[in-house]
Amino acid sequence: MRRAQTLTALAMLFACALPDAMVVPVLRQLLVERYGVSIGAAHAFMYVNLIGALFCVRFIRGWQRRFGDRELIFGAALLNGVLLAAMALPIGFAPTLALRGIEGAADLVVYAVLFNRLARLGSASTRGRRMGAAATSMMLGIAGGVGIGGLVGGHNAVLSLWFGAAACLIVAALAGIVLGRHDNDVNVRTPDIHPIADALSNRGLWPVMMMMFSDRAVAALLATTVPLYMTSVAGLTSARTGALVGISMLMTALGAWPAGWLVERIGSNRMRRIAGCMYAGGVLSIPFIIHANFGIALAGMIVIGIAGAALFASSLVAVTNSGRGAAGMGGYHTAGNMGFLLGTVAAGSLISLLSSGEPGEQVYITILTLYAMFHFSVTILTTGLVRLERLGPVLLPWRSRLSHRETAGATRSARTS
C-alpha cells in the first residue's frame, strides 16, 4: 500500500514538472510574436511566478493543517490547470502576467506538499532514497516538458499551455482518487526525524536554503551563459552544445536516486562537502574541457551532472530532516527559484559590465570563476556551521540542553503538519 502511494506521488511530481518546462522552447512565440512585447518584457513571464510563490510560503503550513494533503494538492493542481488554460486564451500580456503570478503560488503548493508527503511515506532510514527518487522524477519531468513543448509548439505555441493544463488536471485527479483512500495512514500523518539527522533539525532553515540558492544560481549559469560561451567563443556547433548541456541535465536527473541512497550511508553534510567541491571544480574546468576533444568535454559535463545530482539529493534530505514539513519544503523551493532568477540576472549583468560589445573568452572565464568561488564558499560555510552545531554539546554543554528543547519543539511542529 505504501509503495503504491509512493509511486503515485512520484508520478504526480513528474506530471507537475511538465507545464513550466513546456513554455521554455516557445516563449518567443507565446509572448513576443503573440502580443508584440519586447524580449526583455517576455522574460518577466519566467520570473513573475516567483512573486506568487513568495507570497504563499508563509501560509502553506496553515493550509495543510486545515485541509490536509489530498485537498490541498487537488485544489492547487486544479487551480494551476485552470490558470494555464486561461493564459492560453488571447487575454493580453498584462492579464497573462497577473495569472502567471497566481499560478506560481499554486505550483509551489503542489511541489511543497508532494515532497513533504514523500518524506513521510516510510521510515526515516529510507528517506534518502525517496528524496532521490523524487528529485529524479522532477528532473525527468522538466526534461520531458522541454521536449514536449518544442514538439507541440512547432505546430502551435499555445498548445504548450493547453498540454500543461492537462498535466495539472491529471495531478488533481490522482490526488482526488488515489490519495484520498489512504490519507489517514499513520505513516503519512506522523512524520519522524532521523535519529542522526543533520544539525539543521536544531536550527533555522537558512543554511539549507543557502545551499539550494547557490545550486540553482550555478544551474542558471550552466543553462544560459555556458551554452552561449560554447557556441559564440569556443566555436562548438549547436548540436554539440546541446549534447554537452543535455548530458549534464540527464546525469543530474538519473543520478539523484542513487545519490539519495548514498546520503543514507554517509550523511547529507558529508555528501554536500564532497559534491560541492566536485561541482565548483567542474565549473572551473569548463574553459579547459571545451577546448579539448569532445570526449573529454563530455566526461567533464557528466561529472558536473553527477555532482549536481548529489547536491540536490543531499539538500532535499537535509530539509526533510529539519522537521519543518511542507512549509520548510516551500521555503526551500522558493530559495531555489530565487537562485535561478538572480543567477541568470547576475550573469547577464556581468557580461554587460565586463564587455562593451561581444564578450570575449576572458569575460566568460571570469564569470565562471566567480560563480565557482561563490558556490564553494557557500558549501564551506554551510557545512562548517552544521559541523560546529554537531560539536556543540561537546564544546558548549549549555547548547546541548537548548538544542534538546528546540528539537522537541521541531518534532511537535512536524507532527502537526
Side-chain angles (χ1 to χ4, degrees), residues 240-264:
R240 290 202 165 192
T241 298
L244 291 174
V245 176
I247 193 65
S248 178
M249 292 180 62
L250 180 63
M251 295 311 299
T252 298
L254 299 181
W257 196 340
W261 175 85
L262 188 58
V263 168
E264 295 174 4

Side-chain angles (χ1 to χ4, degrees), residues 329-392:
M329 192 62 70
Y332 166 82
H333 283 288
T334 301
N337 290 339
M338 291 302 297
F340 195 89
L341 169 63
L342 296 181
T344 305
V345 172
S349 300
L350 284 171
I351 288 176
S352 300
L353 181 65
L354 297 175
S355 61
S356 56
E358 187 72 20
E361 181 159 21
Q362 191 56 48
V363 171
Y364 286 106
I365 292 175
T366 300
I367 294 173
L368 288 168
T369 302
L370 288 173
Y371 272 67
M373 290 173 59
F374 165 70
H375 191 276
F376 180 75
S377 300
V378 171
T379 297
I380 296 301
L381 173 64
T382 53
T383 58
L385 286 172
V386 171
R387 179 64 177 168
L388 284 175
E389 185 74 15
R390 283 178 171 175
L391 295 175

Side-chain angles (χ1 to χ4, degrees), residues 226-316:
V226 168
L228 289 173
Y229 175 33
M230 290 178 175
T231 54
S232 62
V233 175
L236 297 182
T237 64
S238 58
R240 290 202 165 192
T241 298
L244 291 174
V245 176
I247 193 65
S248 178
M249 292 180 62
L250 180 63
M251 295 311 299
T252 298
L254 299 181
W257 196 340
W261 175 85
L262 188 58
V263 168
E264 295 174 4
R265 269 73 187 161
I266 69 175
S268 61
N269 206 46
R270 182 179 300 175
M271 174 70 88
R272 183 82 200 178
R273 287 197 300 270
I274 297 171
C277 292
M278 287 176 58
Y279 203 52
V283 172
L284 279 175
S285 72
I286 288 175
F288 302 98
I289 63 174
I290 63 174
H291 288 295
N293 65 62
F294 186 68
I296 293 177
L298 203 63
M301 297 305 289
I302 288 174
V303 170
I304 292 174
I306 292 174
L311 291 172
F312 197 1
S314 63
S315 60
L316 268 175

Side-chain angles (χ1 to χ4, degrees), residues 4 25 30 33 45 47 66 78 107 182-183 213 268 282 290 301 326 335 373 392:
L30 276 177
E33 297 178 4
F45 185 84
Y47 63 74
R66 180 175 180 180
L78 181 62
D107 197 38
H182 314 291
D183 204 39
F213 180 92
S268 61
I290 63 174
M301 297 305 289
M373 290 173 59

Side-chain angles (χ1 to χ4, degrees), residues 72-88:
L72 199 52
I73 295 173
F74 175 82
L78 181 62
L79 176 61
N80 204 344
V82 170
L83 291 170
L84 286 169
M87 284 186 274

